[in-house]
Amino acid sequence: MEEKKTGAVRRIGVLTSGGDAPGMNAAIRSVVRSALQRGIECVGIRRGWAGLISGDITPLASADVSRIINRGGTILYTARSDQFRTEEGMLQAVATCKLLGLDGVVAIGGDGTFRGANALASYGVSVVGIPGTIDNDIVCTDYTIGFDTAANTAVECIDRLRDTMQSHERCAVVEVMGRRAGYLALAVGLAVGATAVLVPERPYSFESHVAEKIRRARLSGKTNFIIVVAEGAASAVTVGEEIREHLGLDPRVTILGHIQRGGSPTVKDRVMATRMGYEAVRLLAEGKTNRVVCAEGESIVDRDIVEALSMEKTLNPEEFQVMTVMTGA
Ligand code: F6P
């Protein structure tokens, strides 16, 4: 690989923090290879911000990121660090950056990761964030790495549930992840043709958002039902109990849980991760700091972290409208 020397940036670190997401490895690979292309050395910081505090690092040469583009999880491990939120932890992280001669850090994760990046930037460390979470709940970007894979995994699981629900003429209540957001539930609900989709962005009403929809579906001749529940909207167990009590059905409840976080990333996640990794390195190499790499439609752009964290993200109104029509309004 041809090496080109770049100004003052000689060595950068890359870390993954928060919940892992399929495609994080593809992003790490892209950061390493894009950096090497510019003559910048790259080290991996293990276990997220905690690793930056303790100096838990590993060298990352081109060969170290071979054959990881297709792997789920993160080769750098990930963690949520309480210590990093303290002044002492932050000073220690800054000291590690100096000790290791890091001219910049690429942090891959969710909004908690970006808050950490912003705090670190205020101590003079150059940081760039890459959005990686299956929740797609980061305000500044239309897309977060891992969402497509997680949605496809959930759809595959629910398609299987559908087979047995159809055979027994039953109702399945399926809880999907998403933290406090309904993006995953909405996409999955649309893709499986759910009878009802519950999202936290809309206050939960059993009568109008579940019971009424099941009654209408029954009237139209349906004998099996799929209810998709975002974990932030309601508990699938409670929804199942309400269905049993008020509709006389015998539902089966499935909480998909962490199964949604694993698996080989889809084409979309590999491509987005690779594009975002490239962009993060470009920003650091050009001396930019405290930026987040974002997807805006089909384009990759960058935003100031503070501005990015203060933006508001709502469910796609058109997608939401389609869902209400598909589930009988
Ligand atoms: O943010 C990703 C996510 O998978 C959420 O959807 C979920 O609420 C949370 O992480 C689960 O966190 P943990 O892995 O700590 O149980």
Side-chain angles (χ1 to χ4, degrees):
M1 194 175 279
E2 192 199 341
E3 294 195 352
K4 296 176 212 137
K5 282 280 170 217
T6 309
V9 181
R10 294 192 181 83
R11 194 173 206 224
I12 61 170
V14 57
L15 61 84
T16 49
S17 167
D20 63 347
M24 279 184 165
N25 281 329
I28 295 166
R29 171 183 177 273
S30 173
V31 168
V32 172
R33 298 255 166 106
S34 303
L36 290 174
Q37 183 74 25
R38 291 173 180 271
I40 300 170
E41 186 193 345
C42 198
V43 296
I45 299 155
R46 289 190 291 213
R47 302 179 178 86
W49 296 120
L52 197 61
I53 293 171
S54 63
D56 183 3
I57 63 154
T58 181
L60 287 177
S62 188
D64 297 316
V65 292
S66 284
R67 295 179 302 278
I68 66 166
I69 197 167
N70 57 328
R71 280 171 55 190
T74 161
I75 59 162
L76 292 176
Y77 305 99
T78 182
R80 304 185 207 269
S81 168
D82 289 336
Q83 208 191 346
F84 193 66
R85 292 196 196 97
T86 66
E87 169 91 13
E88 194 198 345
M90 189 59 66
L91 290 173
Q92 186 58 50
V94 174
T96 308
C97 290
K98 286 211 178 101
L99 190 73
L100 298 175
L102 296 183
D103 300 311
V105 173
V106 177
I108 308 166
D111 57 3
T113 306
F114 294 169
R115 279 176 221 289
N118 184 41
L120 192 63
S122 71
Y123 285 82
V125 178
S126 293
V127 285
V128 172
I130 294 179
T133 162
I134 65 163
D135 303 332
N136 202 21
D137 61 345
I138 301 182
V139 286
C140 61
T141 180
D142 291 344
Y143 190 74
T144 62
I145 296 165
F147 176 77
D148 189 58
T149 308
N152 276 288
T153 301
V155 166
E156 192 189 324
C157 293
I158 297 173
D159 283 348
R160 286 165 194 248
L161 279 172
R162 166 82 77 189
D163 292 344
T164 171
M165 294 302 127
Q166 182 268 324
S167 307
H168 284 265
E169 301 181 279
R170 275 176 173 158
C171 174
V173 183
V174 190
E175 187 174 304
V176 299
M177 279 187 166
R179 222 164 41 131
R180 289 183 292 276
Y183 308 101
L184 195 55
L186 183 55
V188 168
L190 280 175
V192 299
T195 308
V197 183
L198 305 180
V199 291
E201 289 80 356
R202 179 177 60 169
Y204 171 53
S205 152
F206 174 74
E207 183 48 38
S208 48
H209 301 150
V210 180
E212 187 55 24
K213 287 173 193 290
I214 292 179
R215 282 192 209 105
R216 282 184 196 220
R218 266 173 157 174
L219 283 175
S220 73
K222 265 184 93 70
T223 58
N224 66 89
F225 315 96
I226 303 283
I227 313 298
V228 174
V229 183
E231 64 176 347
S235 145
V237 172
T238 307
V239 174
E241 281 163 3
E242 287 177 305
I243 289 173
R244 189 182 307 278
E245 188 183 334
H246 299 287
L247 299 173
L249 293 172
D250 183 21
R252 292 293 183 270
V253 174
T254 304
I255 297 171
L256 291 181
H258 290 79
I259 200 108
Q260 295 158 99
R261 285 236 298 259
S264 181
T266 59
V267 172
K268 176 160 183 168
D269 279 323
R270 296 182 198 197
V271 172
M272 289 304 275
T274 304
R275 291 176 69 193
M276 286 180 167
Y278 166 86
E279 184 64 7
V281 172
R282 186 185 72 76
L283 291 167
L284 284 179
E286 289 177 4
K288 307 218 169 89
T289 179
N290 216 15
R291 312 294 294 173
V292 186
V293 177
C294 303
E296 196 177 270
E298 293 303 308
S299 305
I300 302 293
V301 299
D302 62 284
R303 296 205 164 89
D304 180 79
I305 290 187
V306 179
E307 177 207 338
L309 287 171
S310 64
M311 291 167 74
E312 260 191 50
K313 187 172 187 178
T314 49
L315 284 182
N316 179 331
E318 183 255 319
E319 235 178 68
F320 188 78
Q321 169 65 11
V322 173
M323 183 272 283
T324 59
V325 171
M326 289 298 128
T327 58

